[in-house]
Amino acid sequence: MKRIIISGCNGKMGKKISSCIRERNDCTVVAGIDKNPESFDGFPVFAAPAECPVQADVLIDFSHPSALASLLAYCVDKKLPAVIATTGLSNEQIEQIKECSKQVPLFFSFNMSLGVNLLAQLAKKAAAVLGDQFDIEIIEKHHNQKIDAPSGTALMLADAVSSVLKEEPQYVYDRHAVRKKRSKNEIGIHAVRGGTIVGEHEILFAGHDEMLTLSHTAMSKEIFATGSINAAIFLCGKSAGLYDMGDIV
């Protein structure tokens, strides 16, 4: 039975993770960390990582980018593996994760869905075959409360595609500001925000007289919760290093 600490336990994703863990028999929540330290689900909740004295096997973070530094320091001090699933991290924060992974096992992915990560692998295959002859556009859609745009997942998909292209492409986010024809060496990335859309990602390969579309639609947040829990179980017992969904897929 793996013991899990949830960072951001009183947020929407934190509550969903807690709910999913209650239905499993291979893990349990032993503590939470949240700026609102009320306990709703029967385990103790602490306002900051440094205040948590509870022993655990792994931590799942679905909180806020501002909490990353203190969480990483806590995990390094406790030698505690962690799944970093918070979105909206800066490039500097991602570098911090990479640096800390030299001391403790860390799992980091822009998207915790197994399906999305499989989509990235399929997109790489398609780009390797079609990339020189097809224009590539990525469209992502999320609910109207999402702050960052484009989504980290859209950037992850763009990075996956660009990794197999012969020339490094330019990411174009605002075609309205570019009054010229589309160049071959670019990937257009478009963000839509509206309603309660959980998450949709589409990769469009547009060629001469034909199009290929790869897409993924999230119907609920539960897929991200399940993915983070599976990642946490996977991470237990691993040596220091940086892991991602590619290691599971």
Side-chain angles (χ1 to χ4, degrees):
M1 180 74 72
K2 301 303 181 183
R3 301 166 297 173
I4 297 176
I5 295 174
I6 303 175
S7 173
C9 62
N10 286 335
K12 291 180 180 179
M13 278 307 307
K15 291 179 179 178
K16 180 60 70 174
I17 292 169
S18 177
S19 174
C20 289
I21 289 176
R22 284 198 299 270
E23 298 177 1
R24 300 174 63 132
N25 57 16
D26 59 349
C27 56
T28 185
V29 182
V30 293
I33 300 170
D34 199 279
K35 63 181 181 180
N36 171 20
E38 291 187 69
S39 177
F40 298 103
D41 292 311
F43 51 82
V45 180
F46 304 89
E51 298 176 10
C52 179
V54 180
Q55 296 292 314
D57 297 302
V58 63
L59 179 147
I60 298 176
D61 174 41
F62 251 116
S63 58
H64 189 272
S66 62
L68 181 68
S70 61
L71 280 170
L72 292 178
Y74 175 79
C75 290
V76 169
D77 179 61
K78 302 293 184 181
K79 303 301 180 185
L80 181 66
V83 176
I84 309 298
T86 294
T87 61
L89 299 176
S90 67
N91 290 332
E92 292 75 14
Q93 289 176 310
I94 294 173
E95 288 303 316
Q96 291 175 21
I97 293 172
K98 293 179 180 179
E99 189 65 28
C100 287
S101 71
K102 297 176 183 178
Q103 303 179 66
V104 293
L106 297 178
F107 191 105
F108 174 68
S109 176
F110 287 107
N111 192 297
M112 299 307 298
S113 160
L114 190 63
V116 163
N117 285 273
L118 179 57
L119 174 67
Q121 298 301 316
L122 294 173
K124 288 174 66 174
K125 178 64 175 178
V129 175
L130 306 174
D132 291 340
Q133 302 171 10
F134 283 60
D135 297 325
I136 303 171
E137 300 281 311
I138 296 174
I139 305 98
E140 57 97 344
K141 305 173 185 178
H142 286 88
H143 53 85
N144 58 21
Q145 300 301 302
K146 186 171 178 63
I147 298 174
D148 55 311
S151 68
T153 301
L155 294 174
M156 178 189 79
L157 294 172
D159 289 345
V161 167
S162 65
S163 70
V164 298
L165 297 179
K166 293 180 180 179
E167 295 184 27
E168 183 176 354
Q170 175 189 8
Y171 296 171
V172 176
Y173 305 101
D174 184 9
R175 212 170 292 286
H176 173 267
V178 182
R179 301 289 293 177
K180 63 178 182 180
K181 292 182 179 180
R182 186 193 199 281
S183 68
K184 291 296 296 182
N185 189 38
E186 69 178 60
I187 296 177
I189 304 177
H190 315 277
V192 175
R193 297 290 176 267
T196 58
I197 302 171
V198 175
E200 296 183 18
H201 292 86
E202 176 182 319
I203 308 168
L204 173 65
F205 294 86
H208 183 72
D209 290 341
E210 62 177 332
M211 291 190 300
L212 171 68
T213 299
L214 301 175
S215 65
H216 176 272
T217 300
M219 305 303 291
S220 78
K221 293 180 181 294
E222 185 171 334
I223 63 171
F224 309 123
T226 299
S228 68
I229 298 166
N230 290 339
I233 300 299
F234 164 84
L235 201 60
C236 291
K238 292 293 188 293
S239 57
L242 187 61
Y243 302 86
D244 59 27
M245 275 293 180
D247 296 298
I248 295 180
V249 172

